[in-house]
Amino acid sequence: MTLAFELAKAHVPGFKVIDAPGRPIEWSDVDRADFRIDVDAVIAYEGLSIAEAIKQAIRQPRWAEKTSPMTMAALRQQYKTADKRWIEVVKKARAWEKMGSDK
């Protein structure tokens, strides 16, 4: 694919590859699903509100660096926009990893 783009840039008049507009994506669908699962686990275990559970979850080492510059509104948005299909995929992946680590 890279070769095709380079050839097109070199030989097709007016051909340009333009970067997507806006800010680069920092959170993938998997990141959102992971975050949602961790926050939901805190809610289930401690019975906290979403905001309080987010505050607890971001103290975990896996989220501390990624979430440090973010506001609570931005974190809540990441939580709420997690795709249910990806949440199920991540849950199954975690279960699979746990099965492998039990041996």
Side-chain angles (χ1 to χ4, degrees):
M1 191 162 121
T2 304
L3 175 61
F5 279 126
E6 292 302 318
L7 289 170
K9 282 194 271 185
H11 300 289
V12 176
F15 182 83
K16 292 181 183 178
V17 177
I18 300 172
D19 291 332
R23 186 173 179 199
I25 297 172
E26 294 177 12
W27 284 59
S28 69
D29 291 328
V30 174
D31 290 335
R32 281 189 206 92
D34 249 344
F35 186 63
R36 176 76 183 240
I37 291 167
D38 288 349
V39 172
D40 285 347
V42 172
I43 291 170
Y45 185 72
E46 297 188 26
L48 301 174
S49 67
I50 292 173
E52 290 300 316
I54 288 173
K55 288 177 187 175
Q56 290 284 334
I58 64 175
R59 291 184 190 142
Q60 297 174 13
R62 64 182 284 158
W63 295 113
E65 186 178 335
K66 187 169 188 81
T67 61
S68 65
M70 298 177 73
T71 65
M72 182 54 70
L75 291 167
R76 185 184 293 261
Q77 183 68 21
Q78 296 297 341
Y79 173 84
K80 290 188 180 246
T81 58
D83 187 319
K84 291 178 184 180
R85 296 169 295 186
W86 279 107
I87 292 169
E88 289 305 313
V89 169
V90 172
K91 282 181 181 179
K92 289 177 183 176
R94 284 183 177 188
W96 179 259
E97 286 175 357
K98 188 174 182 182
M99 284 174 41
S101 66
D102 288 344
K103 293 180 180 181

